[in-house]
Amino acid sequence: MIPDPSFLTVRDLYVQFKTEDGVVKAVDGLSFGLDRGRTLGIVGESGSGKSVTSMAVMGLHDPRYSEVSGEVWLDGENLLTATPRRMEALRGRKVAMIFQDSLSSLSPFHTVGSQIGEVLTKHTGASRREARERAIEMLARVGIPQPKLRVDAYPHEFSGGMRQRAMIAMALVCDPELVIADEPTTALDVTVQAQILDLLKALQEETGSAIIMITHDLGVIADVADEVMVMYAGRAIERGTRREVLKAPGHPYTWGLLASMPHLATDPDSPLRPVRGTPPSLLTLPSGCPFHPRCDYADRVPVDLCSTERPDLHPRTGHSSACYLSQTVKDQIRG
Amino acid sequence: MAEPLLQLTELTKHFPLKRRRVVVHAVDGISLSIGEHESLGLVGESGCGKSTAGRLVARLQEPTSGTVSYRGQDISHWSRRRMRPIRSEIQMIFQDPYASLNPRHTVGTIIGGPMEVNGLRPTERGIKELLEIVGLNPEHYNRFPHEFSGGQRQRIGVARALALKPRLIVADEPVSALDVSIQAQVVNLLQRLRREMGIAFLFIAHDLAVVRHFSQRVAVMYLGKIVEIGDRDSLYERPRHPYTHALLSAVPDPDPDTPRRERIRLAGDVPSPVNPPSGCRFRTRCWKARDRCALEEPPLVRLGGNAEGHLTACHFPEAPTTHGSDVVLDPALS
Amino acid sequence: MIRFLLRRLVSAAGIVMVVAATVFLLFYALPRDPARAFCGKLCLPENLKLLRHEMGMDLPIWQQFLAWAQGVVAGRDFPGVGRCEAPCFGYSFAKGEWVTETVLDRLPVTVSLSLGGAAVILTVGIGAGMLAAAKRGTWIDSLATSLSNIGGGMQIFFVGPLMVFVLSDTLGLLPRPRYTEFGDNPAKWFVGLLIPWIALSVIFYSNYTRLTRSMLLEQFNEDYVRTARAKGMSRRTTFFRFAWRGAMIPVVTQFGIDLGVLLGGAIVTELTFGLHGLGELVTQAFTNTDLPMLLGITVLSAGAIVLINVVVDALYAVIDPRVRLS
């Protein structure tokens, strides 16, 4: 990871929601960056803050219920201080988003073609006919057969895979420079997942856009990410290149994620090694390292550092993990 | 071989869609057996009929034709009253731990309720023991489902099933709604129960890697049919059906060094079960399909080179070599 | 869509016929004798018999019904009165008029009252609901919500005279309610009915405000509304292009029900405002035991209600393409 990328820089991002039970610290001081043409994979489990982060970058949090602070610099412009009008002009044109559930995320009341076309009419002032032509083109580009017929179909008339393709067409119709894909393949069957990831990669090669890929699936990360950020309880606990994080992970949580994920190379007769316990409540985060109550190695760190002092990522180096364990101890543990 | 615990023979379930006068072929003539203490994995993509098959086994639905035999008795059309003695022996665990627990009942009532219905006398001590077995704090006996996390709720579901001392548990996607780190906890729990209590499992899932960790034998379903079934190692190491092969190659792998390009990319989506393709149902997405596949339905048989009990339904099966080593892809697909 | 409408209209006609037969049976099983009522106080037995014969009341009931149904479809002759062209709903001996003519004469009053009232109700109700949803959590929202709680409990015979007293008698803003043919003078038609409309909307709008508000708020949480925002659509655009559609389905359902209630309630409304519509006609027919008139109006109202249901179902499909018409 490049510490000072030119294209997207997120610094000290905090997102808090006011609820009846208290303040939920969904994102708790997050910094990362991304360059054009690169893919950043954000991995984490539910409640880790990965989706909240993406909504903050898009400026989609309702200010009445949430508090967003920090800086989100996109191409030299701080999105968090931009006017609502300016954000509307950026959304869909410069930054686009692909959502997980294509059935609920597309309007059931409008044809696929009109939903793709309206992005164009909104941002480029294209005429209805031009928009329709472009929509057909885009449908063909994302591999939907008979695009001229399908452009007038409604989302519920598409299969899951086709709908996700249509959603990608909708996100990419204005050639956005940053694409945020929030679990784009989670709702799909495995054989269709691979098709969609291939498509995203191919389109990225064509357009040179930057992609933030949000997922809980390390397999997806291994497939498409150039850089990886692992999130836990609203914080980044590890970041590095795909190879660094997946082959030489430095945080016990990342170890746990990798060990608990069954795949075809693991020994099927030995039990999986889950992370013990459950993720913390975002209302009352543990003191110190948010992972320490579930960590098997907190006692290998001198004094009570893990439970008192919150570890941070190294601000400069590429591969870094927010953990007090020394490299020697880590090597020892990992054998 | 001893008499199997469960035997499905030509089991079929069709759902008529009234408004359009058509029929959904959810399950279309599947035959398989599960032995005592055995765990059979049933895998396939959405709409392949695996969940319907599970519901037929648990007798939550009645088959259109074919039979479900439990310990030698055909129970497929038994009345509620006749089923009662067996009900407790076949239990079900569901995918959604949020929806399958009554939010207004305490954990103790949730677990004790089915016991009472089935003529067992639930005691607080017995229920606390069950909670302990599934890895929950017995002191949480009086808590409500919303006070637990997703993984803990699934444990409650497991405890509820265990309370009736079942011999067979039908687990329908028991971990797919859970986070990865929690998934492994529940898989390990079920594994332990199978080993220690000798409960047989029908483990229904879409995730082949999870199924591999849990099952001794595995059946692969596609559009209501079993396309391949066999011992775990035989099926995972030497898949003969192109669909099994494709599914295996699509399993997520966190190792960035695994050569990605070897993956088989199936074209298109699963066809509608309302109007399944003629002959072999997989032919519309298969790179090996020829004319014969549209005309003749391939029988589920043991192919030359297959291990005992490894059956495949394919006219043009893959070579019986270890998978991954000599994957030749149709250039049209890459 | 055309096929659906045709099919539904045919079945609607069937339903209306069944209703007609049932009502016919019920009415004629009543211990009241229209011939007797028509004959007057000093009625001679032979006059009564003649009258009964003329009214066809000495025939078996099924023959009477067939004669009536024939009249509706093809017209029929009334001995001593004349030829009644189809659709003939019979002759009102009480009023000495053709039922069809009288009803057609009164119909515009009730239709103007109900549909006009419905339009005002929808405009005020949905408008207030949209406003409350858009300004959620502000004083506008609280005002709209609390106002909508007041009207719902009131009755037209209370609100109506009150409105007339305040708006017309005291403030002189509007004339007292009075029906003018739309064709004669649209402006007078409008002004004359404004007070009844407002009174109706005070009572009925609250449902729509609450429904619209809650449905819209629900819509704002829908994934596809979020998607629209992510595409760069402004709040206003998402509101008008996406959110209302999902919100309108329950509103349409409610409206279908209320339109029936409005028609049924025309009796009270018209009496309250002294308008001469079908409601008033029904009251008269009832006191006079004017069975042909009652039957005619009942069948007509049944037809209207069935028709409203067809329209509501068709509207579902227009609003939501996922609704299949069959």
Side-chain angles (χ1 to χ4, degrees):
Chain A
M1 172 152 325
I2 301 147
D4 255 325
S6 53
F7 183 54
L8 173 73
T9 310
V10 173
R11 252 186 236 127
D12 294 322
L13 182 68
Y14 288 83
V15 183
Q16 304 190 332
F17 300 105
K18 287 161 258 171
T19 70
E20 283 172 21
D21 301 322
V23 176
V24 170
K25 295 177 179 174
V27 176
D28 202 25
L30 186 68
S31 304
F32 63 91
L34 181 62
D35 259 330
R36 282 193 173 84
R38 308 279 288 173
T39 300
L40 169 70
I42 303 185
V43 221
E45 299 182 279
S46 41
S48 63
K50 54 193 196 304
S51 291
V52 176
T53 304
S54 67
M55 297 289 276
V57 173
M58 294 291 289
L60 285 177
H61 286 300
D62 191 326
R64 276 173 292 188
Y65 306 107
S66 58
E67 213 179 289
V68 183
S69 65
E71 295 162 39
V72 176
W73 293 93
L74 182 76
D75 216 4
E77 187 174 0
N78 187 354
L79 302 187
L80 291 192
T81 55
T83 62
R85 229 204 153 84
R86 175 68 187 148
M87 281 311 289
E88 274 161 24
L90 288 174
R91 282 199 289 262
R93 170 149 214 165
K94 194 157 183 167
V95 201
M97 194 148 177
I98 299 166
F99 294 97
Q100 171 178 9
D101 184 350
S102 58
L103 186 59
S104 66
S105 297
L106 290 171
S107 161
F109 307 125
H110 301 90
T111 62
V112 168
S114 75
Q115 295 189 56
I116 298 173
E118 70 185 357
V119 190
L120 218 60
T121 39
K122 152 92 196 174
H123 292 293
T124 67
S127 71
R128 280 193 142 195
R129 178 185 289 175
E130 285 165 349
R132 192 184 145 85
E133 288 302 311
R134 269 289 279 166
I136 296 174
E137 249 173 64
M138 282 309 291
L139 287 176
R141 207 163 138 209
V142 296
I144 288 179
Q146 297 178 298
K148 278 190 185 152
L149 285 176
R150 302 300 230 144
V151 75
D152 293 320
Y154 288 95
H156 68 274
E157 298 168 326
F158 276 43
S159 69
M162 287 299 149
R163 257 198 315 268
Q164 197 53 281
R165 285 171 191 267
M167 175 117 71
I168 292 175
M170 192 173 81
L172 300 187
V173 68
C174 284
D175 285 322
E177 293 169 58
L178 173 64
V179 177
I180 303 176
D182 190 354
E183 304 264 12
T185 60
T186 305
L188 302 173
D189 281 321
V190 274
T191 57
V192 181
Q193 279 186 12
Q195 296 171 6
I196 297 297
L197 292 180
D198 281 356
L199 174 67
L200 278 174
K201 274 193 285 188
L203 292 171
Q204 184 183 30
E205 266 163 40
E206 268 176 56
T207 61
S209 58
I211 296 182
I212 296 179
M213 174 70 69
I214 291 166
T215 179
H216 69 280
D217 187 340
L218 290 165
V220 170
I221 294 292
D223 221 358
V224 298
D226 300 304
E227 287 126 40
V228 183
M229 177 166 78
V230 185
M231 284 188 74
Y232 187 82
R235 309 262 301 163
I237 53 103
E238 179 153 9
R239 62 137 200 256
T241 63
R242 165 177 67 180
R243 173 163 291 277
E244 285 163 347
V245 173
L246 294 178
K247 295 293 261 190
H251 197 285
Y253 177 65
T254 318
W255 303 343
L257 273 187
L258 280 162
S260 56
M261 179 188 171
H263 52 98
L264 295 181
T266 49
D267 173 10
D269 293 316
S270 67
L272 296 166
R273 282 176 295 141
V275 183
R276 65 183 164 86
T278 47
S281 156
L282 298 175
L283 286 165
T284 47
L285 286 174
S287 60
C289 170
F291 185 63
H292 88 264
R294 300 176 74 190
C295 185
D296 286 329
Y297 311 106
D299 55 351
R300 303 285 290 267
V301 172
V303 258
D304 288 336
L305 212 51
C306 289
S307 55
T308 51
E309 203 78 31
R310 194 161 71 175
D312 276 313
L313 291 179
H314 194 283
R316 286 274 163 262
T317 55
H319 183 202
S320 161
S321 56
C323 177
Y324 292 121
L325 287 173
S326 69
Q327 196 53 48
T328 342
V329 177
K330 282 181 187 171
D331 289 343
Q332 238 174 41
I333 297 167
R334 304 276 293 163
Chain B
M1 202 170 126
E3 184 181 67
L5 183 67
L6 183 85
Q7 172 79 51
L8 309 182
T9 315
E10 288 299 315
L11 195 64
T12 301
K13 180 70 187 180
H14 290 174
F15 295 103
L17 290 183
K18 271 182 205 144
R19 300 177 95 193
R20 284 190 287 158
R21 290 194 209 100
V22 290
V23 166
V24 178
H25 300 248
V27 174
D28 229 353
I30 63 169
S31 302
L32 56 82
S33 65
I34 301 176
E36 295 268 5
H37 321 311
E38 192 189 25
S39 163
L40 176 80
L42 193 55
V43 295
E45 292 175 283
S46 52
C48 75
K50 56 187 192 299
S51 287
T52 307
R55 299 175 71 82
L56 290 173
V57 168
R59 275 302 314 278
L60 297 178
Q61 266 159 0
E62 205 160 319
T64 309
S65 68
T67 58
V68 179
S69 297
Y70 179 72
R71 299 171 67 195
Q73 289 173 297
D74 178 2
I75 62 165
S76 30
H77 299 287
W78 279 17
S79 63
R80 259 167 193 281
R81 175 184 290 252
R82 241 182 128 189
M83 273 300 291
R84 205 169 287 156
I86 301 185
R87 257 286 163 233
S88 60
E89 294 184 22
I90 307 176
Q91 284 298 307
M92 197 148 179
I93 301 173
F94 299 93
Q95 165 175 4
D96 189 347
Y98 299 82
S100 60
L101 302 178
N102 187 334
R104 278 184 286 278
H105 285 176
T106 63
V107 171
T109 321
I110 287 172
I111 298 172
M115 296 174 78
E116 247 168 272
V117 171
N118 283 280
L120 299 168
R121 202 165 285 148
T123 60
E124 191 176 324
R125 223 184 96 204
I127 291 170
K128 284 186 169 171
E129 254 168 45
L130 278 168
L131 288 176
E132 199 143 20
I133 290 174
V134 298
L136 290 171
N137 185 346
E139 300 307 313
H140 294 168
Y141 177 85
N142 276 324
R143 293 203 177 175
F144 290 91
H146 68 87
E147 298 176 72
F148 294 88
S149 69
Q152 288 171 324
R153 270 180 254 202
Q154 195 54 290
R155 287 171 192 269
I156 298 172
V158 174
R160 177 175 58 182
L162 282 183
L164 299 175
K165 305 201 167 27
R167 298 168 75 125
L168 172 68
I169 289 182
V170 177
D172 188 1
E173 299 271 14
V175 297
S176 48
L178 307 176
D179 274 323
V180 199
S181 71
I182 308 298
Q183 257 186 25
Q185 294 176 358
V186 176
V187 169
N188 285 352
L189 167 68
L190 295 178
Q191 188 78 279
R192 210 185 73 221
L193 298 176
R194 191 177 69 76
R195 294 225 172 98
E196 289 172 8
M197 309 177 108
I199 301 167
F201 271 90
L202 177 62
F203 190 94
I204 300 166
H206 70 278
D207 185 335
L208 275 87
V210 171
V211 168
R212 180 167 165 267
H213 264 269
F214 192 76
S215 312
Q216 293 147 310
R217 281 193 308 133
V218 177
V220 181
M221 277 186 82
Y222 187 80
L223 272 181
K225 297 262 184 199
I226 292 181
V227 296
E228 190 156 24
I229 183 169
D231 285 342
R232 181 192 68 197
D233 291 344
S234 177
L235 190 113
Y236 278 79
E237 299 301 325
R238 289 175 291 283
R240 304 294 300 278
H241 199 287
Y243 181 60
T244 315
H245 198 162
L247 277 184
L248 281 170
S249 78
V251 171
D253 188 337
D255 187 344
D257 290 338
T258 307
R260 308 272 137 197
R261 287 294 129 202
E262 270 183 14
R263 277 197 179 172
I264 299 167
R265 300 300 200 244
L266 287 181
D269 296 291
V270 184
S272 158
V274 168
N275 199 0
S278 66
C280 171
R281 294 190 172 179
F282 182 58
R283 69 177 164 83
T284 53
R285 298 173 77 194
C286 184
W287 62 98
K288 297 184 125 189
R290 283 184 242 166
D291 293 348
R292 188 180 162 199
C293 302
L295 300 172
E296 244 181 88
E297 188 180 328
L300 187 64
V301 292
R302 181 178 171 192
L303 300 170
N306 271 13
E308 171 90 41
H310 184 165
L311 312 178
T312 311
C314 181
H315 292 309
F316 306 103
E318 308 276 81
T321 47
T322 303
H323 105 93
S325 61
D326 69 343
V327 181
V328 183
L329 280 185
D330 190 321
L333 280 160
S334 51
Chain C
M1 186 70 165
I2 304 276
R3 259 188 66 197
F4 161 80
L5 284 177
L6 280 178
R7 241 198 358 252
R8 281 298 299 267
L9 285 178
V10 169
S11 78
I15 292 172
V16 170
M17 279 322 268
V18 172
V19 169
T22 315
V23 172
F24 198 87
L25 240 158
L26 281 175
F27 278 4
Y28 282 81
L30 283 176
R32 289 186 171 184
D33 188 339
R36 167 117 227 164
F38 186 57
C39 193
K41 276 178 185 167
L42 299 166
C43 188
L44 297 170
E46 53 267 37
N47 280 356
L48 183 64
K49 199 176 170 199
L50 191 72
L51 206 57
R52 290 177 76 94
H53 181 72
E54 269 184 10
M55 291 166 84
M57 289 178 65
D58 51 351
L59 293 170
I61 186 150
W62 62 273
Q63 277 191 13
Q64 290 187 40
F65 178 67
L66 275 189
W68 180 85
Q70 186 210 337
V72 174
V73 180
R76 115 193 224 212
D77 287 315
F78 279 82
V81 187
R83 170 79 187 164
C84 171
E85 296 299 331
C88 171
F89 285 90
Y91 182 75
S92 162
F93 291 92
K95 284 181 94 80
E97 289 166 2
W98 295 111
V99 170
T100 313
E101 273 178 20
T102 314
V103 165
L104 283 183
D105 191 42
R106 301 293 195 96
L107 191 61
V109 179
T110 306
V111 168
S112 299
L113 194 62
S114 306
L115 289 189
V120 177
I121 292 167
L122 286 184
T123 315
V124 175
I126 297 179
M130 285 177 127
L131 200 66
K135 306 277 175 196
R136 166 182 35 160
T138 64
W139 65 271
I140 296 178
D141 182 16
S142 328
L143 185 72
T145 323
S146 49
L147 274 185
S148 79
N149 285 329
I150 299 173
M154 292 201 267
Q155 295 292 337
I156 191 73
F157 48 76
F158 170 71
V159 180
L162 188 72
M163 290 249 159
V164 173
F165 177 74
V166 174
L167 293 178
S168 170
D169 297 352
T170 311
L171 298 175
L173 289 173
L174 291 166
R176 295 186 129 249
R178 184 196 164 81
Y179 183 76
T180 316
E181 280 290 328
F182 182 79
D184 292 350
N185 188 338
K188 265 196 162 167
W189 170 83
F190 184 81
V191 175
L193 288 171
L194 210 48
I195 288 185
W197 288 344
I198 294 173
L200 281 175
S201 74
V202 165
I203 292 167
F204 280 96
Y205 91 101
S206 55
N207 271 338
Y208 296 92
T209 303
R210 277 194 295 256
L211 211 54
T212 307
R213 179 181 180 275
S214 65
M215 289 316 293
L216 275 177
L217 291 186
E218 214 169 273
Q219 290 294 307
F220 284 137
N221 289 326
E222 289 287 344
D223 287 349
Y224 61 82
V225 172
R226 181 190 62 187
T227 309
R229 297 277 293 143
K231 289 199 285 193
M233 303 286 152
S234 65
R235 268 182 200 285
R236 184 180 300 248
T237 315
T238 46
F239 196 86
F240 284 111
R241 189 164 151 73
F242 294 94
W244 72 270
R245 282 232 204 193
M248 275 310 103
I249 296 259
V251 172
V252 166
T253 309
Q254 180 69 38
F255 182 60
I257 297 167
D258 281 354
L259 206 50
V261 174
L262 274 180
L263 282 174
I267 296 177
V268 184
T269 315
E270 284 169 16
L271 283 181
T272 304
F273 295 107
L275 296 167
H276 309 296
L278 284 180
E280 192 204 40
L281 194 60
V282 167
T283 339
Q284 292 168 357
F286 194 75
T287 35
N288 297 336
T289 328
D290 188 352
L291 292 192
M293 190 66 81
L294 280 176
L295 189 61
I297 297 174
T298 311
V299 170
L300 186 84
S301 336
I305 303 261
V306 174
L307 207 67
I308 290 169
N309 280 327
V310 176
V311 172
V312 164
D313 284 355
L315 271 180
Y316 286 153
V318 171
I319 294 174
D320 190 339
R322 287 170 300 181
V323 175
R324 278 219 185 115
L325 295 176
S326 62

